[in-house]
Amino acid sequence: MPQTRPLGAQISHMLKDRGVDVIFGIPGVHNQEMYRGIEEAGITHVLARHEQGAGFMADGYARATGKVGVAYVITGPGLCNIMTPMGQAYSDSVPLLVISSCLDETAARRGQLHQMKDQEIAAGTVCDWSETAHTADAAYTLIDRALLEMQSQRQRPKHIQVPIAQLEASVNAAPPTRPVWPDLGSHPHWEDEVADLLRAAKRPLFVFGGGATEADAFAEALDVIYPAEAAVFCTYAGRGIVPADYPLNYGAYLARPESAEIIGQADLVIAVGTSLDEVDLWRDHLGHTAPLVRIDIDPEVFADAQNAEIRIKADAGMFLSALAGKLGQTQRKSDWSAQDVVEQRSRWRNETIVERPGIVPIVDALRAATPPDTMIYSDMTQIAYVAKEVWDMDRPGHWHHPYGFGTLGYATPAAIGGAVARRGQPTMAIIGDYGFHYTMAELGVAVELGLSLPIILWDNGKLKEIEDSMIQAQIAPNAVIAHNPDFCKLAEAFGAKAVAPKSLAEMQDAVRAAFDADGPTLIYITPDITG
């Protein structure tokens, strides 16, 4: 006879069978049955200090691996605490699966521990979908549905809740998984049409987004832009897809207003794997006057204000591979000027220097001290805003930021999740003083796990970006300064290493040492570091 176990344990065994190796979370009396089977199934559990931290760790793990990040949380406050990471994962297309317990009955009984009016609906406001599994078969079906949708559609978070009595009930194991064949597309001749447009174009231009950062798309992109001699912009999430030394690479300056004028000079624009959101453009329209070709796995983007003439639902790698095959390796000459690109990028860099004085030299020094293949997680802080524009990545998918939802406190726990996924490979966090307050308790997790994680803590003593915005809006700045602790002593109290370099050279030495340390290192820097 099949072995029966409590459903809470069977869920862990099912996840292991589906390829899940790590779960982030916090146990409680309402979800303890989910913890019965974790070790037995051979899954590593990472104990967060707060459910928000658990969600960000699962997010960071998912971004680092491309696999689903899984988190276990309790009823009520546990779910509420992880809703911010769920919202962040939704806006940034991250495969995050949150499994929570829920109360068996809420309509006829009030005043229970962790009770909410409607937990399922609350979670559904920040994720792709939220469902309740009232039986074991429903739990198995919903888990497989979530995992399969994350493989075949735009990756977004899902929430599944299971009543406590069901988690405790003894049930049979989940059925074995079955493969799903990839969608090869439904446009048999689109590559011929797009290739013909590219051959005819004198000023073709590509916009690459985070959806084009997978390894196959990265390689194929070069086989398209070089023969076409196309100009390129990338979104912040798309950095690294095109090499920094490609002569017609405008970089990640897409949000600069003047980029609209340059895009308006193109006679063909092809946007690959980008939804062209507000946080990509900071304007309503891309700026194109020529035909726009959109390639995305999510048809929702085809109905936006960009009004693309050609709309292709396809995986970025598949599209670029097919297009490269049609173009061949024949080099052609476009009307773009490499010198114009160099001069324009220099102007934009200078604008950045003027807008946020003193930060660019710090970013340049930090980049010079960072080894190749470093995966970076940043927070909502001015040093990250500058770096996203001026730091050219040497490979795609290695800089992660809370782009859309824009939460504070993301970087530290997300970097912990990334470091768990990338043992032996360099991972780094960049966070501001205020954001560090949000999730600084997770520093204990990095110490507990012995992660060689540099945490660059930028302390300008205030919410400087908000102060600048208030001044620009002619509002007298208020509520932008908070009392900070001695961050180095705080880190040391957790058992982490801490250093406060006084020069850029000292900062670089500290960063190099931190990658080789046997635990996390807080590297505390202020605007005074540039002298």
Side-chain angles (χ1 to χ4, degrees), residues 260-408:
E261 299 177 18
I262 293 168
I263 293 168
Q265 298 170 15
D267 57 2
L268 174 67
V269 179
I270 302 177
V272 185
T274 172
S275 51
L276 299 175
D277 290 326
E278 178 188 57
V279 293
D280 296 319
L281 305 177
W282 293 111
R283 57 181 182 268
D284 293 332
H285 194 262
L286 182 61
H288 60 287
T289 56
L292 172 64
V293 179
R294 294 287 293 274
I295 297 88
D296 208 284
I297 61 171
D298 184 0
E300 180 183 339
V301 306
F302 299 145
D304 66 10
Q306 308 307 328
N307 198 26
E309 282 79 6
I310 299 177
R311 310 169 189 193
I312 302 169
K313 183 180 182 297
D315 170 80
M318 183 195 76
F319 166 80
L320 292 168
S321 176
L323 187 57
K326 292 294 181 180
L327 290 176
Q329 297 301 312
T330 303
Q331 185 73 33
R332 58 188 295 277
K333 181 68 176 175
S334 73
D335 289 347
W336 293 109
S337 164
Q339 184 59 37
D340 288 347
V341 174
V342 170
E343 292 173 359
Q344 183 60 64
R345 289 194 58 158
S346 178
R347 285 194 293 271
W348 282 331
R349 179 182 168 89
N350 288 334
E351 287 178 10
T352 303
I353 292 171
V354 171
E355 290 168 355
R356 299 185 175 99
I359 297 181
V360 168
I362 299 171
V363 171
D364 289 343
L366 188 58
R367 181 172 186 262
T370 303
D373 197 35
T374 298
M375 188 161 283
I376 300 169
Y377 294 83
S378 60
D379 215 80
M380 300 296 285
T381 178
Q382 285 191 325
I383 190 171
Y385 304 154
V386 171
K388 286 189 300 175
E389 289 193 310
V390 305
W391 187 320
D392 287 315
M393 299 299 290
D394 61 355
R395 62 204 69 198
H398 275 59
W399 189 297
H400 305 293
H401 184 81
Y403 296 107
F405 211 43
T407 180
L408 284 162

Side-chain angles (χ1 to χ4, degrees), residues 107-126:
R109 186 180 176 192
R110 298 297 185 189
Q112 300 175 80
L113 178 66
H114 301 331
Q115 185 165 8
M116 293 177 63
K117 289 182 68 176
D118 199 320
Q119 182 173 292
E120 178 185 303
I121 288 180
T125 62
V126 288

Side-chain angles (χ1 to χ4, degrees), residues 13-164:
H13 282 270
M14 178 185 185
L15 291 172
K16 178 64 175 179
D17 180 60
R18 269 58 168 174
V20 174
D21 296 315
V22 181
I23 290 173
F24 303 85
I26 302 176
V29 292
H30 278 187
N31 72 342
Q32 63 188 14
E33 284 296 337
M34 293 158 61
Y35 281 75
R36 185 186 294 275
I38 291 179
E39 291 185 1
E40 184 183 66
I43 294 176
T44 298
H45 181 269
V46 176
L47 176 62
R49 302 303 186 260
H50 188 281
E51 286 90 359
Q52 187 178 71
F56 286 145
M57 289 177 200
D59 173 299
Y61 177 90
R63 297 195 200 207
T65 61
K67 299 169 65 175
V68 177
V70 180
Y72 282 176
V73 298
I74 62 164
T75 317
L79 180 68
C80 287
N81 287 340
I82 205 171
M83 283 173 63
T84 295
M86 291 166 69
Q88 191 62 65
Y90 184 86
S91 68
D92 290 352
S93 302
V94 177
L96 173 64
L97 175 59
V98 175
I99 303 179
S100 76
S101 54
C102 65
L103 295 172
D104 302 314
E105 169 59 50
T106 58
R109 186 180 176 192
R110 298 297 185 189
Q112 300 175 80
L113 178 66
H114 301 331
Q115 185 165 8
M116 293 177 63
K117 289 182 68 176
D118 199 320
Q119 182 173 292
E120 178 185 303
I121 288 180
T125 62
V126 288
C127 66
D128 190 23
W129 51 256
S130 172
E131 299 288 354
T132 303
H134 292 287
T135 65
D137 287 343
Y140 300 151
T141 297
L142 288 170
I143 290 171
D144 267 341
R145 173 187 164 192
L147 298 179
L148 293 173
E149 286 180 5
M150 290 176 186
Q151 292 176 19
S152 59
Q153 300 176 12
R154 185 171 183 176
Q155 295 181 325
R156 278 184 157 153
K158 328 282 186 182
H159 167 243
I160 300 169
Q161 61 180 21
V162 187
I164 297 167

Side-chain angles (χ1 to χ4, degrees), residues 140-282:
Y140 300 151
T141 297
L142 288 170
I143 290 171
D144 267 341
R145 173 187 164 192
L147 298 179
L148 293 173
E149 286 180 5
M150 290 176 186
Q151 292 176 19
S152 59
Q153 300 176 12
R154 185 171 183 176
Q155 295 181 325
R156 278 184 157 153
K158 328 282 186 182
H159 167 243
I160 300 169
Q161 61 180 21
V162 187
I164 297 167
Q166 288 297 322
L167 290 172
E168 296 170 346
S170 187
V171 298
N172 291 328
T177 186
R178 293 179 175 85
V180 175
W181 300 107
D183 179 8
L184 298 181
S186 56
H187 307 276
H189 304 298
W190 59 255
E191 62 267 37
D192 293 309
E193 183 177 354
V194 177
D196 288 342
L197 288 172
L198 263 179
R199 292 189 192 97
K202 299 295 185 182
R203 299 175 75 91
L205 184 145
F206 279 79
V207 180
F208 290 108
T213 56
E214 62 265 29
D216 56 342
F218 166 53
E220 301 291 355
L222 305 185
D223 291 335
V224 171
I225 63 169
Y226 275 101
E229 204 176 54
V232 173
F233 278 95
C234 62
T235 67
Y236 298 133
R239 282 182 300 155
I241 293 173
V242 177
D245 60 0
Y246 175 64
L248 299 178
N249 182 6
Y250 279 102
Y253 291 102
L254 188 62
R256 292 278 156 182
E258 203 172 352
S259 72
E261 299 177 18
I262 293 168
I263 293 168
Q265 298 170 15
D267 57 2
L268 174 67
V269 179
I270 302 177
V272 185
T274 172
S275 51
L276 299 175
D277 290 326
E278 178 188 57
V279 293
D280 296 319
L281 305 177
W282 293 111

